[in-house]
Short mmCIF file of all heavy atoms in Angstrom, two decimals:
data_model
loop_
_atom_site.label_atom_id
_atom_site.label_comp_id
_atom_site.label_asym_id
_atom_site.label_seq_id
_atom_site.Cartn_x
_atom_site.Cartn_y
_atom_site.Cartn_z
N PRO A 1 -27.05 24.47 218.51
CA PRO A 1 -26.56 25.36 219.59
C PRO A 1 -27.72 26.16 220.19
O PRO A 1 -28.57 26.66 219.48
CB PRO A 1 -25.60 26.29 218.85
CG PRO A 1 -25.15 25.52 217.64
CD PRO A 1 -26.34 24.70 217.23
N GLY A 2 -27.74 26.26 221.51
CA GLY A 2 -28.79 26.99 222.21
C GLY A 2 -29.95 26.13 222.63
O GLY A 2 -30.74 26.54 223.51
N ASP A 3 -30.11 24.95 222.00
CA ASP A 3 -31.21 24.05 222.39
C ASP A 3 -30.81 23.21 223.58
O ASP A 3 -29.62 23.01 223.86
CB ASP A 3 -31.58 23.13 221.22
CG ASP A 3 -32.51 23.79 220.23
OD1 ASP A 3 -32.95 24.92 220.51
OD2 ASP A 3 -32.77 23.20 219.17
N VAL A 4 -31.81 22.66 224.28
CA VAL A 4 -31.55 21.76 225.40
C VAL A 4 -32.17 20.40 225.06
O VAL A 4 -33.14 20.33 224.29
CB VAL A 4 -32.14 22.29 226.71
CG1 VAL A 4 -31.48 23.62 227.06
CG2 VAL A 4 -33.64 22.46 226.62
N PRO A 5 -31.63 19.30 225.59
CA PRO A 5 -32.13 17.97 225.22
C PRO A 5 -33.54 17.68 225.70
O PRO A 5 -34.33 17.06 224.98
CB PRO A 5 -31.12 17.02 225.88
CG PRO A 5 -29.93 17.84 226.20
CD PRO A 5 -30.42 19.23 226.44
N ASP A 6 -33.89 18.13 226.89
CA ASP A 6 -35.17 17.73 227.48
C ASP A 6 -35.76 18.88 228.31
O ASP A 6 -35.03 19.67 228.91
CB ASP A 6 -34.99 16.52 228.42
CG ASP A 6 -34.32 15.35 227.70
OD1 ASP A 6 -34.99 14.74 226.86
OD2 ASP A 6 -33.16 15.09 228.00
N THR A 7 -37.09 18.94 228.33
CA THR A 7 -37.79 19.86 229.21
C THR A 7 -38.98 19.14 229.87
O THR A 7 -39.60 18.28 229.24
CB THR A 7 -38.31 21.13 228.51
OG1 THR A 7 -39.35 20.77 227.58
CG2 THR A 7 -37.20 21.86 227.79
N CYS A 8 -39.26 19.50 231.11
CA CYS A 8 -40.41 18.96 231.81
C CYS A 8 -40.72 19.91 232.96
O CYS A 8 -39.82 20.29 233.73
CB CYS A 8 -40.11 17.56 232.36
SG CYS A 8 -41.48 16.85 233.33
N ALA A 9 -41.97 20.32 233.07
CA ALA A 9 -42.38 21.33 234.04
C ALA A 9 -42.89 20.70 235.34
O ALA A 9 -43.74 19.82 235.31
CB ALA A 9 -43.46 22.24 233.45
N ASP A 10 -42.39 21.19 236.47
CA ASP A 10 -43.00 20.95 237.76
C ASP A 10 -43.99 22.09 237.98
O ASP A 10 -43.60 23.24 238.05
CB ASP A 10 -41.91 20.95 238.83
CG ASP A 10 -42.45 20.72 240.24
OD1 ASP A 10 -43.65 20.96 240.48
OD2 ASP A 10 -41.66 20.33 241.13
N VAL A 11 -45.27 21.77 238.07
CA VAL A 11 -46.30 22.81 238.18
C VAL A 11 -46.93 22.83 239.58
O VAL A 11 -48.06 23.30 239.75
CB VAL A 11 -47.39 22.64 237.10
CG1 VAL A 11 -46.80 22.85 235.71
CG2 VAL A 11 -48.07 21.27 237.21
N GLU A 12 -46.19 22.36 240.56
CA GLU A 12 -46.73 22.28 241.93
C GLU A 12 -47.20 23.64 242.43
O GLU A 12 -48.30 23.77 242.98
CB GLU A 12 -45.67 21.71 242.87
CG GLU A 12 -46.10 21.66 244.33
CD GLU A 12 -44.99 21.20 245.26
OE1 GLU A 12 -44.04 20.54 244.78
OE2 GLU A 12 -45.07 21.49 246.47
N GLU A 13 -46.40 24.67 242.24
CA GLU A 13 -46.75 26.00 242.75
C GLU A 13 -47.97 26.58 242.03
O GLU A 13 -48.83 27.23 242.64
CB GLU A 13 -45.56 26.95 242.64
CG GLU A 13 -44.45 26.73 243.64
CD GLU A 13 -43.57 25.55 243.31
OE1 GLU A 13 -43.71 24.98 242.19
OE2 GLU A 13 -42.72 25.18 244.12
N LEU A 14 -48.03 26.37 240.72
CA LEU A 14 -49.19 26.85 239.96
C LEU A 14 -50.48 26.19 240.45
O LEU A 14 -51.50 26.87 240.68
CB LEU A 14 -48.98 26.55 238.46
CG LEU A 14 -50.07 27.04 237.52
CD1 LEU A 14 -50.02 28.56 237.37
CD2 LEU A 14 -49.92 26.38 236.13
N ALA A 15 -50.43 24.88 240.63
CA ALA A 15 -51.62 24.16 241.09
C ALA A 15 -52.00 24.58 242.50
O ALA A 15 -53.18 24.74 242.82
CB ALA A 15 -51.35 22.65 241.03
N ARG A 16 -51.00 24.80 243.35
CA ARG A 16 -51.26 25.19 244.73
C ARG A 16 -51.88 26.58 244.83
O ARG A 16 -52.85 26.79 245.57
CB ARG A 16 -49.94 25.15 245.53
CG ARG A 16 -50.07 25.55 246.99
CD ARG A 16 -48.70 25.87 247.57
NE ARG A 16 -48.13 27.07 246.95
CZ ARG A 16 -46.82 27.32 246.87
NH1 ARG A 16 -45.95 26.45 247.36
NH2 ARG A 16 -46.39 28.44 246.31
N ASP A 17 -51.34 27.54 244.09
CA ASP A 17 -51.75 28.93 244.25
C ASP A 17 -52.99 29.31 243.46
O ASP A 17 -53.76 30.15 243.91
CB ASP A 17 -50.59 29.86 243.88
CG ASP A 17 -49.46 29.80 244.87
OD1 ASP A 17 -49.59 29.15 245.92
OD2 ASP A 17 -48.38 30.40 244.59
N VAL A 18 -53.17 28.74 242.26
CA VAL A 18 -54.32 29.13 241.45
C VAL A 18 -55.22 27.96 241.08
O VAL A 18 -56.19 28.11 240.35
CB VAL A 18 -53.87 29.89 240.16
CG1 VAL A 18 -53.04 31.10 240.53
CG2 VAL A 18 -53.10 28.98 239.21
N GLY A 19 -54.89 26.77 241.58
CA GLY A 19 -55.76 25.62 241.40
C GLY A 19 -55.86 25.13 239.96
O GLY A 19 -56.91 24.68 239.51
N TYR A 20 -54.73 25.17 239.24
CA TYR A 20 -54.79 24.78 237.83
C TYR A 20 -53.48 24.12 237.39
O TYR A 20 -52.40 24.51 237.83
CB TYR A 20 -55.02 25.99 236.95
CG TYR A 20 -55.06 25.65 235.48
CD1 TYR A 20 -56.12 24.91 234.96
CD2 TYR A 20 -54.04 26.02 234.62
CE1 TYR A 20 -56.15 24.55 233.62
CE2 TYR A 20 -54.06 25.67 233.30
CZ TYR A 20 -55.12 24.94 232.79
OH TYR A 20 -55.12 24.57 231.48
N ALA A 21 -53.62 23.13 236.52
CA ALA A 21 -52.48 22.50 235.85
C ALA A 21 -52.92 22.08 234.45
O ALA A 21 -54.00 21.53 234.27
CB ALA A 21 -52.00 21.29 236.63
N PRO A 22 -52.12 22.38 233.41
CA PRO A 22 -52.46 21.98 232.05
C PRO A 22 -52.66 20.47 231.92
O PRO A 22 -52.05 19.71 232.67
CB PRO A 22 -51.25 22.46 231.24
CG PRO A 22 -50.69 23.60 232.03
CD PRO A 22 -50.89 23.19 233.46
N SER A 23 -53.49 20.06 230.93
CA SER A 23 -53.79 18.63 230.84
C SER A 23 -54.06 18.14 229.42
O SER A 23 -54.28 16.94 229.24
CB SER A 23 -55.02 18.31 231.71
OG SER A 23 -56.15 19.05 231.28
N THR A 24 -54.06 19.00 228.40
CA THR A 24 -54.42 18.56 227.04
C THR A 24 -53.34 17.66 226.46
O THR A 24 -52.19 18.08 226.32
CB THR A 24 -54.63 19.76 226.12
OG1 THR A 24 -55.63 20.62 226.69
CG2 THR A 24 -55.06 19.31 224.73
N PRO A 25 -53.66 16.41 226.08
CA PRO A 25 -52.64 15.53 225.49
C PRO A 25 -52.30 15.97 224.06
O PRO A 25 -53.11 16.60 223.37
CB PRO A 25 -53.32 14.16 225.48
CG PRO A 25 -54.79 14.45 225.51
CD PRO A 25 -54.95 15.74 226.25
N VAL A 26 -51.09 15.63 223.60
CA VAL A 26 -50.65 16.07 222.28
C VAL A 26 -51.54 15.50 221.17
O VAL A 26 -51.72 16.14 220.13
CB VAL A 26 -49.17 15.73 222.00
CG1 VAL A 26 -48.25 16.52 222.91
CG2 VAL A 26 -48.91 14.24 222.12
N GLU A 27 -52.09 14.32 221.37
CA GLU A 27 -52.96 13.74 220.34
C GLU A 27 -54.16 14.64 220.06
O GLU A 27 -54.58 14.78 218.91
CB GLU A 27 -53.43 12.34 220.78
CG GLU A 27 -52.36 11.28 220.80
CD GLU A 27 -51.48 11.33 222.05
OE1 GLU A 27 -51.77 12.13 222.95
OE2 GLU A 27 -50.52 10.54 222.13
N VAL A 28 -54.70 15.25 221.11
CA VAL A 28 -55.85 16.15 220.96
C VAL A 28 -55.37 17.49 220.39
O VAL A 28 -55.97 18.03 219.45
CB VAL A 28 -56.55 16.36 222.31
CG1 VAL A 28 -57.62 17.45 222.21
CG2 VAL A 28 -57.17 15.05 222.78
N GLY A 29 -54.32 18.05 220.96
CA GLY A 29 -53.84 19.36 220.55
C GLY A 29 -53.35 19.40 219.12
O GLY A 29 -53.67 20.35 218.36
N VAL A 30 -52.61 18.40 218.69
CA VAL A 30 -52.10 18.36 217.32
C VAL A 30 -53.25 18.20 216.32
O VAL A 30 -53.27 18.84 215.27
CB VAL A 30 -51.07 17.24 217.15
CG1 VAL A 30 -50.71 17.03 215.66
CG2 VAL A 30 -49.79 17.56 217.93
#
């Protein structure tokens, strides 16, 4: 209860306004 099945971020506004979008793959981060 309270969880959602899926999440995915649209980062268009972040990239447009501050010129950045996250990119680290899980293989590297983990």
